[in-house]
Amino acid sequence: MPKVKVDGVEIEVPAGATVLQACEVAGKEIPRFCYHERLSIAGNCRMCLVEVKPGPPKPQASCALPAADNQEIFTQTEMVKKAREGVMEFLLINHPLDCPICDQGGECDLQDQSVAYGRGKSRYDENKRAVTEKYMGPIVKTVMTRCIQCTRCVRFAEEVAGVPEIGAIYRGENMQITTYLERAAKSELSGNVVDLCPVGALTSRPYAFEARPWELRKTLSIDVMDAVGTNIRVDSRGRQVLRVVPRINDDVNEEWASDKTRHAVDGLVRKRLDKPYVRKDGKLVAASWDEAFRVVAAAVKSAKGSIAAVAGDLVDCETMFAARELVKGQGGTLLEGRQTGLDYDVSSLSAVNFNSTLNGIETADAILLIGTNLRWEAPLVNTRIRKAIKKGAKVFAVGPEVDLTYPVTWLGSDAGVLAKLPKDVVDLFTGAARPAVILGGGGLATPGVHGAALGLVKTLGLVKDNWNGFNVLHMAAARMGGLMLGYGAEGGIKALSDAAPAVLLLLGADDVPFETFDKSLKVYIGHHGDKGAHAADVVLPGAAYTEKAGTYVNLEGRVQRAEKAVFAPGDAREDWSILRALSDVLGAPLPFNDFAGLQAAMFAAVPALATEGLADYGWAVPSLPSKPAGEIGYPIKDFYLTNAVCRASPTMQRCSAELLHGAEFAEAAE
């Protein structure tokens, strides 16, 4: 490990560290625009100049210079100060005076660093250049005159997103960043370039001119658009969520978020349920809470224990626990969360868990994907696979061929291939140090595939010391938490419909085959007037994920907590409080009166939910039928419209129409 001196203080740094990283270890702040910890080194901006001895008598770019033994690094000398002032002066030559109208204002690296390291005045009289705007799609707004050519967006698109559609044209002062043929960037992660851009050249199109950062209330939360459990910050003003941005968590989402996570939030103020409804003469009619509760109570009383609950994809653990206790209190036992009809074995949670962990899958050296389109089912898992490939991993897949942004050897879409994998593939996996299998929703929906995939544990040597390469990739934020709480009836949703419960509680469940429950009183507790509300007999308005605190368990069994950002609209209430009030009317009050009491009861019933972090499910392999047959398909048909919030979002509707279905939108001249 090299020993260097930074401003006279000797420190030791890891081998391969750069001078910039050595300075940060020493606690020195080094300005930068092009350098980013998760991207390759470009050395474009020259803002990170320092003085290094031994070396040439001039400032050097610290981001691209390796740290070496006996180096002396100076970050505060007159030479360094003058060099940084000069670089900043050049960066501002053509930068427009847009700060009062720029959406980056208040969180702009160029603003901050020009104050800290700039000269304070300019010596240039020439006219500033102007660059025409580039169209990058419905997510990213461009004002390219502000661009300082740091190329962070170019490197992100190529290295992380795997969609190299952003690049530079021309040279020198005429250089411009643009998308290929100025078309929309077709990536599920394109919104991340807005966070990466150190100036206001790339900003959020849906958020344009909405608010300044100091006006916003910031709340820590968990994303529910997929099962990754992306750590997010919800920025709100008054009672409205204006934007969602990712938080750094290296174990989960690093610092990225999918476009759905970021921009579905404009659906939170549209098509909302804000009062109870009761179906009369075939139509839903607005009602009071008392009237709605009486209708449910009359049906439950005559049901004599014939009551069931189905959890939707976005529900928190507290809501599912309260519903479970209410159903049990009325003599019911039927609980299900796999609303689309999946019926896989849940006797061992380890057999339906992402056991390699999100961090660990990066270290896999041979990966077999079974029935999963990772780009749509979990974009941030897809970025991890890309990192594994850069380290030399080989990827094979069973399913219809799609573009996953990296090289894949496709073995066919017939599930039967799992029973007779090619010998060279088996040899590669058995010889690998960290082989992994990822079983997706398409695989789980195909008979015999779950059992066949578990059979590969032994055949391919997936489980070794300190390594478990068997992974199931869920798509619903509520799935693992629901399975821990018992929302996995044997026989799946079909078993519930066959039981014909007199009362069916729908906890934000919009994708249930409602026609199979035509004899049940359907009680929908949710936040949007989507498919579930249209099919319901009683609608009780609940809270969306930004409007309540809650516990979520991601696909790797990681327990995480979300905080309440805003209040639900109108007469809508938090879901658990609706269930608590309903239990009073039913004559079997739930044993808690507030959220803290609810959590305490849930933790007592399921201790694994009490501790944040990875839950320990052990490792137990159930004996399942393993004769796979039939074509494997993918469950997600439209990435941007997978749930009620997305379907209510104008931004997601436009993304779907433009990026997936080829619709063209005219842009107004600016």
Side-chain angles (χ1 to χ4, degrees):
M1 295 175 68
K3 290 183 178 179
V4 300
K5 276 188 179 179
V6 180
D7 291 340
V9 178
E10 186 172 85
I11 60 168
E12 197 171 43
V13 297
T18 63
V19 168
L20 186 151
Q21 291 168 326
C23 293
E24 289 189 332
V25 170
K28 303 294 181 180
E29 182 179 321
I30 304 296
R32 83 290 298 267
F33 292 110
C34 68
Y35 175 79
H36 191 276
E37 292 81 357
R38 301 186 198 277
L39 303 176
S40 61
I41 294 170
N44 291 344
C45 72
R46 320 307 286 178
M47 194 64 208
C48 64
L49 294 173
V50 297
E51 189 178 348
V52 181
K53 295 180 181 178
K58 64 177 184 178
Q60 298 191 62
S62 60
C63 69
L65 184 65
D69 266 328
N70 302 318
Q71 268 181 343
E72 287 191 71
I73 304 164
F74 302 93
T75 66
Q76 305 293 333
T77 62
E78 190 59 32
M79 178 197 290
V80 171
K81 182 174 181 292
K82 189 174 180 181
R84 290 175 180 171
E85 287 178 352
V87 169
M88 181 59 71
E89 194 172 6
F90 273 104
L91 289 174
L92 293 175
I93 289 174
N94 286 311
H95 198 77
L97 303 177
D98 278 353
C99 295
I101 61 162
C102 176
D103 271 316
Q104 199 82 349
E107 42 192 17
C108 174
D109 290 348
L110 188 62
Q111 275 185 338
D112 297 341
Q113 293 185 41
S114 63
V115 170
Y117 303 101
R119 282 174 51 89
K121 60 182 179 180
S122 172
R123 296 176 288 173
Y124 286 85
D125 296 321
E126 287 80 3
N127 291 329
K128 293 178 181 287
R129 72 163 187 168
V131 180
T132 56
E133 308 310 350
K134 314 299 181 187
Y135 184 67
M136 289 195 181
I139 296 296
V140 181
K141 175 181 169 63
T142 66
V143 185
M144 299 313 291
T145 301
R146 302 171 186 161
C147 179
I148 62 170
Q149 289 93 37
C150 72
T151 69
R152 279 186 179 181
C153 55
V154 177
R155 285 174 284 147
F156 172 83
E158 183 170 350
E159 297 167 12
V160 180
V163 182
E165 295 179 355
I166 303 177
I169 56 176
Y170 313 133
R171 301 182 67 185
E173 187 184 44
N174 296 320
M175 179 177 170
Q176 298 180 24
I177 303 294
T178 181
T179 52
Y180 183 66
L181 299 181
E182 293 195 34
R183 299 285 179 86
K186 292 187 177 180
S187 169
E188 302 77 24
L189 300 167
S190 63
N192 290 290
V193 299
V194 172
D195 290 346
L196 287 171
C197 185
V199 294
L202 304 177
T203 57
S204 169
R205 185 178 293 272
Y207 177 69
F209 309 123
E210 286 288 336
R212 288 300 193 187
W214 55 83
E215 301 173 345
L216 303 176
R217 182 173 180 266
K218 299 169 175 61
T219 309
L220 307 184
S221 190
I222 302 297
D223 174 54
V224 297
M225 295 297 142
D226 57 26
V228 171
T230 299
N231 286 215
I232 57 174
R233 192 188 77 210
V234 178
D235 289 355
S236 57
R237 183 176 59 195
R239 299 187 66 160
Q240 184 175 348
V241 174
L242 293 180
R243 70 173 178 179
V244 161
V245 294
R247 290 185 283 134
I248 295 177
N249 187 330
D250 287 336
D251 292 330
V252 182
N253 57 291
E254 299 180 288
E255 60 186 82
W256 316 125
S258 77
D259 290 348
K260 195 159 54 173
T261 297
R262 288 174 180 274
H263 295 298
V265 291
D266 57 356
L268 291 171
V269 293
R270 292 168 172 84
K271 299 184 180 179
R272 289 302 302 268
L273 299 172
D274 59 359
K275 62 183 71 171
Y277 289 86
V278 173
R279 191 172 296 277
K280 295 179 180 178
D281 300 323
K283 293 185 178 180
L284 287 173
V285 179
S288 66
W289 280 103
D290 285 343
E291 183 183 353
F293 280 167
R294 283 199 300 271
V295 172
V296 178
V300 171
K301 187 174 181 180
S302 61
K304 297 179 180 177
S306 181
I307 180 172
V310 178
D313 291 350
L314 315 183
V315 189
D316 56 292
C317 290
E318 284 79 2
T319 297
M320 289 188 283
F321 176 75
R324 183 185 88 170
E325 297 305 294
L326 185 145
V327 169
K328 285 171 62 177
Q330 299 302 316
T333 58
L334 297 173
L335 304 170
E336 184 53 75
R338 300 163 296 178
Q339 47 178 336
T340 56
L342 293 178
D343 175 25
Y344 47 84
D345 184 275
V346 295
S347 58
S348 169
L349 289 182
S350 63
V352 291
N353 186 47
F354 201 91
N355 295 294
S356 296
T357 72
L358 296 173
N359 242 344
I361 199 65
E362 291 181 11
T363 65
D365 46 7
I367 302 170
L368 175 62
L369 308 177
I370 304 173
T372 176
N373 178 1
L374 282 175
R375 270 189 78 172
W376 284 7
E377 293 173 18
L380 296 182
V381 176
N382 209 46
T383 64
R384 302 277 190 171
I385 304 297
R386 285 184 54 79
K387 291 171 78 172
I389 286 177
K390 289 179 183 178
K391 298 172 186 174
K394 303 292 183 185
V395 178
F396 302 85
V398 178
E401 293 191 23
V402 291
D403 178 15
L404 293 177
T405 74
Y406 44 77
V408 179
T409 301
W410 294 92
L411 304 177
S413 58
D414 191 318
V417 73
L418 295 174
K420 47 180 187 299
L421 288 173
K423 184 177 183 303
D424 58 332
V425 174
V426 174
D427 290 344
L428 177 67
F429 273 79
T430 53
R434 292 189 161 216
V437 164
I438 299 178
L439 175 62
L444 289 172
T446 307
V449 169
H450 190 195
L454 285 169
L456 295 176
V457 170
K458 188 173 182 180
T459 306
L460 303 182
L462 300 180
V463 177
K464 308 174 187 289
D465 289 341
N466 301 317
W467 176 253
N468 188 330
F470 182 80
N471 303 290
V472 171
L473 188 127
H474 298 295
M475 295 164 286
R479 183 70 73 245
M480 286 304 292
L483 294 178
M484 293 170 74
L485 288 163
Y487 280 79
E490 187 175 349
I493 199 76
K494 187 177 184 304
L496 265 69
S497 61
D498 289 345
V503 178
L504 180 68
L505 295 178
L506 299 165
L507 310 176
D510 292 295
D511 298 311
V512 174
F514 299 107
E515 66 281 356
T516 63
F517 291 96
D518 54 350
K519 295 180 181 178
S520 305
L521 178 83
K522 294 178 280 294
V523 182
Y524 182 77
I525 303 174
H527 39 80
H528 275 76
D530 204 72
K531 292 180 283 187
H534 285 283
D537 300 301
V538 178
V539 174
L540 305 177
Y545 69 105
T546 55
E547 298 157 4
K548 57 186 174 183
T551 300
Y552 297 92
V553 185
N554 77 348
L555 53 80
E556 59 181 348
R558 186 180 300 276
V559 179
Q560 302 185 110
R561 314 268 188 238
E563 297 177 14
K564 179 178 180 175
V566 294
F567 289 94
D571 287 337
R573 296 291 183 266
E574 293 181 32
D575 304 32
W576 73 266
S577 64
I578 296 173
L579 293 162
R580 174 64 181 83
L582 179 58
S583 71
D584 270 343
V585 178
L586 298 179
L590 294 173
F592 45 80
N593 294 312
D594 54 23
F595 186 74
L598 163 60
Q599 280 198 324
M602 182 178 75
F603 296 161
V606 187
L609 292 173
T611 306
E612 293 185 47
L614 289 173
D616 183 7
Y617 300 134
W619 174 242
V621 182
S623 178
L624 302 177
S626 57
K627 292 184 178 179
E631 289 288 310
I632 292 178
Y634 299 132
I636 295 180
K637 305 304 179 186
D638 190 322
F639 171 74
Y640 297 102
L641 302 176
T642 53
N643 58 58
V645 180
C646 292
R647 289 189 284 267
S649 164
T651 303
M652 292 297 98
Q653 291 170 13
R654 176 166 172 174
C655 284
S656 172
E658 182 175 351
L659 302 180
L660 299 185
H661 303 292
E664 294 187 3
F665 290 83
E667 287 293 306
E670 294 185 41

